[in-house]
Structures are given as C-alpha cells and as structure tokens.
C-alpha cells in the first residue's frame, strides 16, 4: 500500500508518518518515502513503480495536494506530488472502476474533505476521515484495506408463505380503487415578493470575502413575530451540530458560531465556506459551494436538486416555530464563473460562459406554500426551485 501526499509542513509529514506506523502495526505493508533506503534514486520512477504495483494508494488530503490535484499551483512547486498526481489521474481516466477502488482519499485531523482534489470526487465517492491518529481513528480505513466490513449480512432465509388478508372494501368499490396519486406541494403567488436577507448581507466581511460560487437557500416566514434573542443565542451553539449531521460541515472542519440578531454557524477554513443561519425575523438559511470544475463552477440540475433537498431537510429539522405558510427561495452568488453542465464534465478544459452573466442569480420570494409541504416533500420542493433557478440562469445569461 503506497501513501501519496504533499509535504505541506513538518507537522503534516509527522502526521503521515504516524498514520503509516499505525497501519504497519496492523499488518498493512506500507510504502512511505520517509522509510525509503538512504541511497540516491530517481524519486519519480520510485513512486511510479509503487503506485502501479500497490493494491491500494492512499491520497492524504491537504491544501497543497488539493492545489496540485486541481491544477492551481505553479509547475515548479511540489514537483514530487505533481509527478504522482499525473500518474494517478491518468490511470483513473484509463480504468476508472479499478482505480476508483484502488485510490483511497484520507482526511487527517485538522484537515477537511474540501482538501481532496476534485478528480477524486470528494463529495460523490467514498473518503476516509481519520478523526484521531489512534487505532480507533483508522478503523474505517483499516476495514477497507483488509476487506473486513463492520456489518455482515445474515444468511438468506426462506420466503414465508403469507396468505392474503380479507378485503375490507365492499365489492362495488373495487372498480373505483386506484393507486392514490402522491400529493404535490401547492404553490400560491403573493401580491408582492417578501424581503430576503441574502448571504452577502447576512455575513460580515470576515466571512463574505470568499469568492467561490455559493448555492444558497432561504426560507422566509409569511408574517409572524420576531424570535426572542435568548433563543438565537442558544441556536448559535447548536447550528454547527445540525450542519454536521446533514453533511454541511465535515467532522474535522472548523466551524465558527455567532449570535446577535442572527444565529450563524459557518466554516472557518477554505475558500468555499458552507453555513447555516437563523435570523430573528424567523428566516432560516443555509448555503454551500457549487462543485468546482477545472474551469469555474458547474451547475448540474440533478446535483443542485440533491443539494437543495438536503438543505431543506436540514432547515426543516431546526427547533424553531414555523408559521403555516413559508416562502422558499434559492440563488447563486457570485455567478460570473458558473456554467451549466454535468458533474461528469468537471475536468473539461474548455466551457461556454456568457459574457452577459450577472454576478447574482436570485429567485424572487414571491410564491408561498405550506410549511408541512417543505417537511414532507423536500425533494419535490427542491425540484421546483431548481427548475426555476435554471430558467432564470439561462435568461440572465442570454
């Protein structure tokens, strides 16, 4: 098993060494540059041979490795990591099923999923978060390396003989009995749009300076009284755990809480900070970055619908009072480097971007629906919002 990593710092090298020692003591034959024979060698050839001949290659996430993997670093920096990434990316392209199983992105303490290069699919493929450099911390990784699942499927049993239950319907009703249609959320147009506090206004400069393309969702109450300030202070300490439980924040990701007129939890590391907030007005909000492509950021309809569904579920689970009717809306900011496409096209080296694209794409908060619809059908609400967002994006780009 070969470990590929960037030499970000002496502390990072020490952490990788500890990981290698833990795995070696558990029977894993680890190949690490720090253990190589002290003779002059061609390090590129040395790494190439081990990458090709190892059963697994661990990719240790770090800021430098992510920059190398995403092509954001000068060709003279981190030459060793650049040589390894070239080989790894090429083999993944040549035989994706085999190398997807072979490449294991690992996130060490103090690092985040966002430091995994995009070509390794940090958000749509498995990765391994080592919460602490102990035997317990490497358990998930070790089970993958040794093919020992934590849960084992029981033996397949015999199919029981289940006699039908007697019908409870009178005979005359059988002709009318049909499968009920799934109720869909009912949207109604408001006389005029409600005011929305968007992320750029909500966050101060310390959080607002980042320029990654952010997908933001806001649920605005249709009326109601302000939330008590004491409740907002309590929310400031619980929003981070709510965000982590829905995958908005990684377990190892730094999160800063804040409360005044707004309870906010927002990531403190990286250029694309996710966040969740509750305003005293009753508005609740959440945001996260769009997938970063080789050029700009990709707007994939299915990906956006999935992300909005998860954000709706997150906000629906917050312990705040809700009025019978709410007005959800979504937007993208900044949108100048966003292009519509597919997640599978993220490594393209040429894309079409409109020179007329606006910096902000924001749906007006002018249609309301029942709060119960948001709770019971977040996927259907997300689909509707996604369709409207794409229509507005195409209009603004033309």
């Amino acid at each position: 098993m070969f470990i590929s990593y960037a030499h970000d710092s002496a502390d990072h090298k020490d952490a990788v060494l500890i990981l290698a020692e833990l795995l070696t003591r558990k029977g894993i034959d680890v190949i690490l540059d720090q253990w190589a024979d002290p003779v002059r060698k061609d390090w590129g050839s040395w790494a190439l041979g081990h990458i090709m001949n190892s059963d697994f290659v661990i990719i240790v996430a770090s800021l430098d490795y992510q920059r190398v993997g995403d092509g954001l670093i000068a060709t003279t920096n981190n030459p060793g990591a650049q040589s390894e990434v070239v080989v790894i990316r090429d083999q993944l392209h040549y035989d994706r099923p085999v190398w997807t199983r072979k490449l294991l992105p690992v996130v060490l303490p103090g690092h985040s999923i966002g430091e995994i290069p995009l070509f390794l699919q940090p958000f749509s493929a498995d990765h391994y978060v080592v919460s602490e450099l102990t035997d317990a911390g490497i358990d998930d990784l070790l089970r993958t390396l040794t093919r020992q699942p934590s849960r084992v499927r029981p033996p397949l049993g015999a199919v029981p003989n289940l006699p039908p239950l007697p019908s409870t319907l009178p005979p005359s009703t059988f002709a009318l009995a049909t499968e009920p249609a799934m109720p869909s959320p009912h949207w109604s147009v408001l006389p005029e749009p409600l005011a929305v506090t968007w992320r750029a206004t909500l966050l101060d400069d310390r959080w607002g300076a980042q320029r990654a393309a952010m997908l933001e969702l806001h649920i605005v109450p249709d009326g109601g009284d302000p939330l008590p300030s004491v409740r907002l202070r309590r929310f400031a300490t619980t929003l981070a755990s709510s965000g982590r439980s829905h995958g908005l924040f990684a377990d190892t990701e730094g999160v800063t809480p804040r409360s005044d007129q707004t309870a906010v939890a927002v990531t403190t590391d990286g250029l694309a900070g996710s966040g969740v907030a509750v305003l005293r007005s009753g508005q609740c909000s959440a945001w996260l970055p769009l997938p970063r492509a080789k050029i700009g950021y990709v707007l994939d309809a299915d990906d956006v619908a999935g992300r909005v569904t998860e954000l709706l579920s997150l906000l629906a689970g917050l312990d705040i009072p809700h009025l019978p009717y709410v007005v959800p809306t979504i937007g993208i900011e900044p949108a100048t480097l966003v292009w519509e496409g597919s997640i599978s096209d993220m490594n393209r080296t040429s894309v079409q971007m409109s020179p007329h694209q606006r910096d902000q794409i924001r749906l007006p908060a002018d249609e309301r629906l029942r709060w119960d619809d948001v709770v019971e059908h977040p996927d259907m609400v997300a689909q509707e919002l996604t369709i409207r967002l794409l229509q507005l994006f195409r209009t603004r780009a033309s």
Side-chain angles (χ1 to χ4, degrees), residues 44-99:
S45 298
W46 177 86
L48 172 62
H50 289 303
I51 290 171
M52 298 302 298
N53 296 320
S54 295
D55 293 329
F56 295 98
V57 177
I58 283 182
I59 310 294
V60 182
S62 69
L63 185 57
D64 279 359
Y65 204 104
Q66 177 259 322
R67 288 172 174 168
V68 170
D70 292 347
L72 302 176
I73 198 166
T75 56
T76 55
N77 294 339
N78 281 286
Q82 294 201 52
S83 296
E84 294 172 17
V85 165
V86 166
V87 175
I88 291 168
R89 186 191 287 115
D90 188 65
Q91 292 304 308
L92 183 62
H93 179 78
Y94 173 72
D95 194 342
R96 183 165 293 274
V98 168
W99 283 81

Coordinates of all heavy atoms in Angstrom, one line a residue, residues 44-99:
G44 N 10.8 10.0 -9.1 CA 9.7 9.8 -10.0 C 9.5 8.4 -10.3 O 8.3 7.8 -10.3
S45 N 10.6 7.7 -10.7 CA 10.5 6.3 -11.1 C 10.1 5.4 -9.8 O 9.3 4.5 -9.9 CB 11.8 5.8 -11.7 OG 12.1 6.5 -12.8
W46 N 10.7 5.8 -8.7 CA 10.3 5.1 -7.5 C 8.8 5.1 -7.1 O 8.2 4.1 -6.9 CB 11.2 5.7 -6.3 CG 10.9 5.1 -5.0 CD1 11.5 4.0 -4.4 CD2 10.0 5.6 -4.0 NE1 11.0 3.8 -3.1 CE2 10.1 4.8 -2.9 CE3 9.1 6.7 -3.9 CZ2 9.3 5.0 -1.7 CZ3 8.3 6.9 -2.8 CH2 8.4 6.0 -1.7
A47 N 8.3 6.3 -7.2 CA 6.8 6.5 -6.9 C 6.0 5.8 -8.0 O 5.0 5.1 -7.7 CB 6.5 8.0 -6.9
L48 N 6.4 5.9 -9.3 CA 5.6 5.3 -10.3 C 5.5 3.8 -10.1 O 4.4 3.2 -10.2 CB 6.3 5.6 -11.7 CG 5.7 4.9 -12.9 CD1 4.2 5.2 -13.1 CD2 6.5 5.2 -14.2
G49 N 6.6 3.1 -9.8 CA 6.6 1.7 -9.6 C 5.7 1.3 -8.5 O 4.9 0.3 -8.6
H50 N 5.7 2.0 -7.4 CA 4.9 1.6 -6.2 C 3.4 2.0 -6.5 O 2.5 1.2 -6.1 CB 5.4 2.4 -5.0 CG 6.7 1.8 -4.5 ND1 6.9 0.5 -4.1 CD2 7.9 2.4 -4.2 CE1 8.1 0.3 -3.7 NE2 8.8 1.5 -3.8
I51 N 3.1 3.1 -7.2 CA 1.7 3.4 -7.5 C 1.1 2.3 -8.4 O 0.0 1.8 -8.1 CB 1.6 4.8 -8.2 CG1 2.0 5.9 -7.2 CG2 0.3 5.0 -8.8 CD1 2.1 7.2 -7.8
M52 N 1.8 1.8 -9.4 CA 1.3 0.9 -10.3 C 1.2 -0.5 -9.7 O 0.3 -1.3 -10.0 CB 2.2 0.8 -11.5 CG 2.2 2.1 -12.3 SD 0.6 2.7 -12.9 CE 0.1 1.3 -13.9
N53 N 2.1 -0.9 -8.7 CA 2.2 -2.2 -8.2 C 1.5 -2.4 -6.9 O 1.4 -3.6 -6.4 CB 3.6 -2.7 -8.1 CG 4.3 -2.8 -9.5 OD1 3.7 -3.2 -10.5 ND2 5.6 -2.3 -9.6
S54 N 1.1 -1.4 -6.2 CA 0.4 -1.5 -4.9 C -1.1 -1.8 -5.1 O -1.7 -1.5 -6.1 CB 0.5 -0.2 -4.2 OG 1.9 0.1 -3.9
D55 N -1.6 -2.6 -4.1 CA -3.0 -2.9 -4.1 C -3.9 -1.7 -3.9 O -5.0 -1.6 -4.4 CB -3.3 -4.0 -3.1 CG -2.7 -5.3 -3.4 OD1 -2.5 -5.6 -4.6 OD2 -2.3 -6.0 -2.4
F56 N -3.4 -0.8 -3.0 CA -4.1 0.5 -2.7 C -3.1 1.6 -2.7 O -1.9 1.5 -2.5 CB -4.8 0.4 -1.4 CG -5.9 -0.6 -1.2 CD1 -5.6 -1.9 -0.7 CD2 -7.1 -0.3 -1.7 CE1 -6.6 -2.8 -0.6 CE2 -8.1 -1.3 -1.6 CZ -7.9 -2.5 -1.1
V57 N -3.6 2.8 -3.0 CA -2.9 4.1 -2.9 C -3.7 5.0 -2.0 O -4.8 5.4 -2.4 CB -2.6 4.7 -4.3 CG1 -1.9 6.0 -4.1 CG2 -1.8 3.8 -5.2
I58 N -3.1 5.4 -0.9 CA -3.8 6.4 0.0 C -3.4 7.7 -0.5 O -2.2 8.1 -0.7 CB -3.3 6.1 1.4 CG1 -4.1 5.0 2.0 CG2 -3.6 7.4 2.3 CD1 -3.8 4.7 3.5
I59 N -4.4 8.6 -0.7 CA -4.2 10.0 -1.0 C -4.5 10.8 0.2 O -5.6 10.9 0.7 CB -5.1 10.4 -2.2 CG1 -5.1 9.5 -3.4 CG2 -4.8 11.9 -2.6 CD1 -3.8 9.4 -4.1
V60 N -3.5 11.4 0.8 CA -3.7 12.2 2.0 C -4.1 13.6 1.7 O -3.3 14.4 1.0 CB -2.4 12.2 2.9 CG1 -2.6 13.0 4.2 CG2 -1.9 10.8 3.2
A61 N -5.3 14.0 2.1 CA -5.8 15.3 1.7 C -5.0 16.4 2.5 O -4.8 16.3 3.7 CB -7.3 15.4 2.1
S62 N -4.7 17.5 1.7 CA -4.1 18.7 2.3 C -4.3 19.8 1.3 O -4.7 19.6 0.2 CB -2.6 18.5 2.6 OG -1.9 18.3 1.4
L63 N -4.1 21.0 1.8 CA -4.3 22.2 0.9 C -3.3 22.1 -0.3 O -3.7 22.4 -1.4 CB -4.0 23.5 1.7 CG -4.3 24.8 1.0 CD1 -5.8 24.8 0.5 CD2 -4.1 26.0 1.9
D64 N -2.1 21.8 0.0 CA -1.1 21.7 -1.2 C -1.5 20.6 -2.1 O -1.4 20.8 -3.4 CB 0.3 21.5 -0.6 CG 0.9 22.8 -0.2 OD1 0.3 23.8 -0.3 OD2 2.1 22.8 0.3
Y65 N -1.9 19.4 -1.6 CA -2.3 18.3 -2.5 C -3.5 18.7 -3.3 O -3.6 18.4 -4.5 CB -2.5 17.0 -1.7 CG -2.3 15.8 -2.5 CD1 -1.2 15.0 -2.4 CD2 -3.2 15.4 -3.5 CE1 -0.9 13.9 -3.1 CE2 -3.0 14.2 -4.3 CZ -1.9 13.5 -4.1 OH -1.7 12.4 -4.8
Q66 N -4.5 19.4 -2.7 CA -5.7 19.8 -3.4 C -5.3 20.8 -4.5 O -5.8 20.7 -5.6 CB -6.7 20.4 -2.4 CG -7.9 20.9 -3.1 CD -7.9 22.5 -3.2 OE1 -7.4 23.2 -2.4 NE2 -8.4 22.9 -4.3
R67 N -4.4 21.7 -4.2 CA -4.0 22.7 -5.3 C -3.3 22.0 -6.4 O -3.4 22.3 -7.6 CB -3.1 23.7 -4.6 CG -3.8 24.7 -3.7 CD -2.9 25.6 -3.0 NE -3.6 26.6 -2.2 CZ -3.0 27.4 -1.3 NH1 -1.7 27.2 -1.0 NH2 -3.7 28.3 -0.6
V68 N -2.4 21.0 -6.1 CA -1.7 20.2 -7.1 C -2.7 19.5 -7.9 O -2.7 19.5 -9.2 CB -0.7 19.3 -6.5 CG1 -0.2 18.3 -7.6 CG2 0.5 20.0 -5.9
G69 N -3.7 18.7 -7.3 CA -4.6 17.9 -8.0 C -5.6 18.7 -8.9 O -6.0 18.3 -9.9
D70 N -5.9 20.0 -8.4 CA -6.8 20.8 -9.2 C -6.1 21.8 -10.1 O -6.7 22.6 -10.7 CB -7.7 21.6 -8.2 CG -8.7 20.7 -7.5 OD1 -8.8 19.6 -7.8 OD2 -9.3 21.2 -6.5
G71 N -4.8 21.6 -10.3 CA -4.0 22.5 -11.2 C -3.9 23.9 -10.8 O -3.9 24.8 -11.7
L72 N -3.9 24.2 -9.5 CA -3.9 25.6 -9.0 C -2.5 26.0 -8.5 O -2.4 26.9 -7.7 CB -4.9 25.7 -7.9 CG -6.4 25.4 -8.4 CD1 -7.3 25.5 -7.2 CD2 -6.8 26.3 -9.5
I73 N -1.4 25.3 -8.8 CA -0.1 25.5 -8.3 C 0.9 25.7 -9.4 O 0.7 25.0 -10.4 CB 0.2 24.4 -7.3 CG1 1.4 24.9 -6.3 CG2 0.6 23.1 -8.0 CD1 1.5 24.0 -5.1
A74 N 1.9 26.4 -9.2 CA 2.9 26.6 -10.2 C 3.7 25.3 -10.4 O 3.8 24.5 -9.5 CB 4.0 27.7 -9.7
T75 N 4.1 25.1 -11.7 CA 4.7 23.8 -12.0 C 6.0 23.6 -11.3 O 6.5 22.4 -11.2 CB 5.0 23.8 -13.5 OG1 5.8 24.9 -13.9 CG2 3.7 23.9 -14.3
T76 N 6.6 24.6 -10.7 CA 7.9 24.4 -10.0 C 7.7 24.1 -8.5 O 8.6 23.7 -7.9 CB 8.7 25.7 -10.1 OG1 7.9 26.8 -9.6 CG2 9.1 26.0 -11.5
N77 N 6.5 24.1 -8.0 CA 6.2 23.8 -6.6 C 5.7 22.4 -6.5 O 5.0 21.9 -7.4 CB 5.1 24.8 -6.1 CG 5.6 26.2 -6.0 OD1 6.8 26.5 -6.0 ND2 4.6 27.2 -6.0
N78 N 6.1 21.8 -5.4 CA 5.7 20.4 -5.1 C 5.9 19.5 -6.3 O 4.9 18.8 -6.7 CB 4.2 20.4 -4.6 CG 4.0 20.8 -3.2 OD1 4.4 20.0 -2.3 ND2 3.5 22.0 -3.0
P79 N 7.1 19.4 -6.9 CA 7.3 18.5 -8.0 C 7.0 17.1 -7.8 O 6.5 16.4 -8.7 CB 8.7 18.8 -8.4 CG 9.4 19.2 -7.1 CD 8.3 20.0 -6.4
G80 N 7.3 16.6 -6.6 CA 7.0 15.2 -6.3 C 5.5 14.9 -6.3 O 5.1 13.9 -6.9
A81 N 4.7 15.7 -5.6 CA 3.3 15.5 -5.6 C 2.7 15.6 -7.1 O 1.8 14.9 -7.5 CB 2.6 16.5 -4.7
Q82 N 3.3 16.6 -7.8 CA 2.8 16.8 -9.2 C 3.0 15.5 -10.0 O 2.2 15.1 -10.8 CB 3.4 18.0 -9.8 CG 3.0 19.3 -9.2 CD 3.2 20.5 -10.1 OE1 2.7 20.5 -11.2 NE2 3.8 21.5 -9.5
S83 N 4.2 14.9 -9.9 CA 4.5 13.7 -10.6 C 3.6 12.6 -10.3 O 3.1 11.8 -11.2 CB 6.0 13.3 -10.4 OG 6.9 14.3 -10.8
E84 N 3.3 12.4 -9.0 CA 2.4 11.3 -8.6 C 1.0 11.6 -9.0 O 0.3 10.7 -9.5 CB 2.5 11.2 -7.0 CG 3.8 10.7 -6.5 CD 3.9 10.8 -5.0 OE1 2.9 10.9 -4.3 OE2 5.1 10.8 -4.5
V85 N 0.5 12.8 -8.9 CA -0.9 13.2 -9.4 C -1.1 12.9 -10.8 O -2.1 12.4 -11.3 CB -1.2 14.6 -9.0 CG1 -2.5 15.1 -9.7 CG2 -1.4 14.7 -7.5
V86 N -0.1 13.2 -11.7 CA -0.2 13.0 -13.1 C -0.4 11.5 -13.4 O -1.3 11.1 -14.2 CB 1.1 13.5 -13.8 CG1 1.2 12.9 -15.2 CG2 1.2 15.0 -13.9
V87 N 0.3 10.6 -12.7 CA 0.2 9.2 -12.9 C -1.2 8.7 -12.4 O -1.9 8.0 -13.1 CB 1.3 8.4 -12.2 CG1 1.1 6.9 -12.3 CG2 2.7 8.8 -12.8
I88 N -1.6 9.2 -11.2 CA -2.8 8.7 -10.6 C -4.0 9.2 -11.5 O -4.9 8.4 -11.7 CB -2.9 9.3 -9.2 CG1 -1.9 8.6 -8.3 CG2 -4.3 9.1 -8.6 CD1 -1.7 9.3 -6.9
R89 N -4.0 10.5 -11.9 CA -5.1 10.9 -12.7 C -5.2 10.2 -14.0 O -6.3 9.8 -14.5 CB -5.0 12.4 -13.0 CG -6.2 13.0 -13.7 CD -6.0 14.4 -14.2 NE -6.0 15.4 -13.1 CZ -4.9 16.1 -12.7 NH1 -3.8 15.9 -13.4 NH2 -5.0 17.0 -11.8
D90 N -4.1 9.9 -14.6 CA -4.0 9.2 -15.9 C -4.6 7.8 -15.8 O -5.4 7.3 -16.6 CB -2.6 9.2 -16.5 CG -2.5 8.6 -17.9 OD1 -3.1 9.3 -18.8 OD2 -2.0 7.5 -18.1
Q91 N -4.2 7.1 -14.7 CA -4.7 5.7 -14.5 C -6.2 5.7 -14.2 O -6.9 4.8 -14.6 CB -3.9 5.0 -13.4 CG -2.4 4.8 -13.8 CD -2.3 3.9 -15.1 OE1 -2.9 2.9 -15.2 NE2 -1.5 4.5 -16.0
L92 N -6.6 6.7 -13.5 CA -8.1 6.8 -13.2 C -8.9 7.0 -14.4 O -9.9 6.4 -14.6 CB -8.3 7.9 -12.2 CG -9.7 8.1 -11.7 CD1 -10.2 6.9 -10.9 CD2 -9.8 9.3 -10.8
H93 N -8.3 7.8 -15.3 CA -9.0 8.0 -16.6 C -9.0 6.7 -17.5 O -10.0 6.4 -18.2 CB -8.3 9.2 -17.4 CG -8.9 9.5 -18.7 ND1 -10.1 10.2 -18.8 CD2 -8.5 9.1 -20.0 CE1 -10.4 10.3 -20.1 NE2 -9.5 9.7 -20.8
Y94 N -7.9 6.0 -17.4 CA -7.7 4.8 -18.3 C -8.6 3.7 -17.8 O -9.3 3.0 -18.6 CB -6.3 4.3 -18.2 CG -6.0 3.0 -18.9 CD1 -6.0 2.9 -20.3 CD2 -5.8 1.9 -18.1 CE1 -5.8 1.7 -20.9 CE2 -5.5 0.6 -18.8 CZ -5.6 0.6 -20.1 OH -5.3 -0.7 -20.7
D95 N -8.8 3.4 -16.5 CA -9.6 2.3 -16.0 C -10.2 2.8 -14.7 O -9.8 2.5 -13.6 CB -8.7 1.1 -15.7 CG -9.5 -0.2 -15.5 OD1 -10.7 -0.1 -15.2 OD2 -9.0 -1.3 -15.7
R96 N -11.3 3.5 -14.8 CA -12.0 4.2 -13.7 C -12.5 3.1 -12.6 O -12.3 3.3 -11.4 CB -13.1 5.1 -14.1 CG -13.8 5.8 -13.0 CD -14.6 7.0 -13.5 NE -13.8 8.0 -14.1 CZ -13.2 9.0 -13.4 NH1 -13.4 9.0 -12.1 NH2 -12.5 9.9 -14.0
P97 N -13.2 2.0 -13.0 CA -13.6 1.1 -12.0 C -12.5 0.5 -11.1 O -12.7 0.5 -9.9 CB -14.3 0.0 -12.8 CG -14.7 0.7 -14.1 CD -13.6 1.7 -14.4
V98 N -11.4 0.1 -11.8 CA -10.3 -0.5 -11.0 C -9.7 0.6 -10.1 O -9.4 0.3 -8.9 CB -9.3 -1.1 -12.0 CG1 -8.0 -1.4 -11.2 CG2 -9.8 -2.3 -12.6
W99 N -9.4 1.8 -10.6 CA -8.6 2.8 -9.8 C -9.5 3.5 -8.9 O -9.0 4.1 -7.9 CB -7.9 3.7 -10.8 CG -6.7 3.0 -11.3 CD1 -6.6 2.1 -12.3 CD2 -5.3 3.1 -10.8 NE1 -5.3 1.7 -12.5 CE2 -4.5 2.3 -11.6 CE3 -4.8 3.9 -9.7 CZ2 -3.2 2.2 -11.3 CZ3 -3.4 3.7 -9.5 CH2 -2.6 2.9 -10.3

